[in-house]
Amino acid sequence: MSHLLRSDARDNRERILDAARAVFAADGLTVPMREIARRADVGPATLYRHFPTKEALATEAFAAKMRACYEIAEEELADPDPWRGFTAMVERLCELHARDRGFTAAFTAEFPHALDFAADRERTVKSIAELTRRAREAGHLRPDVALDDVILVLMANGGIQGASSEARVAASRRFAALAIRGLRA
């Protein structure tokens, strides 16, 4: 779509996405659309012309992070050691989510109209489920650990507070280590 836009409209769209990514990362998805428009230095009408809903804006803003989640899950699924792959996946996903408060909310939310996002999320969740199954079947995870438990770890990690992204990442690393120990057989 962006290749069909005039250059000023393309610039506005990119400024909106940049502002949304920054605001969502710092403050989560609860930020009003008007605040995103203000930070992008565009009017609300311009923002809504490009992104009619916050869901549409979040879907576009987080597309690269969703792909990164899938790539992490796939890379760790390729590890021949299921425990090493599982622990690295949890650590890396927790860190990715800690760096962006809004992304965890978007990842765990249902965006019924965001088909691309939903498809990417589903692929990621399938990879996480497969890695969880392999680690459990290899005897490394407790036998009662299920996919929902791993998703719950990501959701809990999303609640980590910190004055800065670095503080959240440090707390996330500690949390991931504790969670992994709790899930270990």
Side-chain angles (χ1 to χ4, degrees):
M1 174 186 178
S2 59
H3 67 281
L4 300 175
L5 299 174
R6 294 184 333 251
S7 65
D8 61 330
R10 253 192 329 271
D11 292 344
N12 285 343
R13 188 173 196 286
E14 286 308 310
R15 280 203 324 273
I16 292 166
L17 284 169
D18 290 343
R21 287 179 188 116
V23 170
F24 290 154
D27 301 321
L29 291 178
T30 60
V31 176
M33 293 284 274
R34 284 189 176 274
E35 175 61 16
I36 295 167
R38 186 188 70 73
R39 292 204 191 178
D41 199 27
V42 299
T46 299
L47 179 131
Y48 283 107
R49 198 168 27 258
H50 289 282
F51 302 100
T53 65
K54 189 183 285 188
E55 178 182 284
L57 178 57
T59 298
E60 181 86 16
F62 294 130
K65 283 211 167 114
M66 182 54 72
R67 282 189 302 277
C69 262
Y70 176 69
E71 289 166 6
I72 288 169
E74 283 295 297
E75 284 171 21
E76 301 309 338
L77 188 58
D79 190 323
D81 180 335
W83 179 246
R84 186 175 54 220
F86 178 82
T87 59
M89 177 200 59
V90 170
E91 292 165 351
R92 291 176 67 195
L93 288 179
C94 281
E95 182 171 335
L96 179 72
H97 285 246
R99 291 188 184 282
D100 193 327
R101 291 179 177 180
F103 180 62
T104 300
F107 182 84
T108 58
E110 290 299 322
F111 283 178
H113 303 295
L115 298 177
D116 291 341
F117 194 87
D120 287 341
R121 181 186 183 280
E122 187 175 323
R123 287 183 333 153
T124 302
V125 168
K126 282 182 181 178
S127 295
I128 293 169
E130 176 62 17
L131 191 48
T132 301
R133 183 194 63 73
R134 286 181 51 215
R136 188 180 53 243
E137 287 179 0
H140 299 295
L141 280 178
R142 293 177 13 195
D144 61 336
V145 173
L147 171 64
D148 288 346
D149 300 314
V150 180
I151 300 299
L152 185 59
V153 166
L154 294 176
M155 291 172 70
N157 182 73
I160 290 175
Q161 300 296 311
S164 67
S165 176
E166 293 78 25
R168 284 192 309 274
V169 168
S172 174
R173 287 182 180 140
R174 178 169 161 67
F175 174 74
L178 291 169
I180 289 166
R181 276 188 288 219
L183 297 172
R184 188 169 191 156

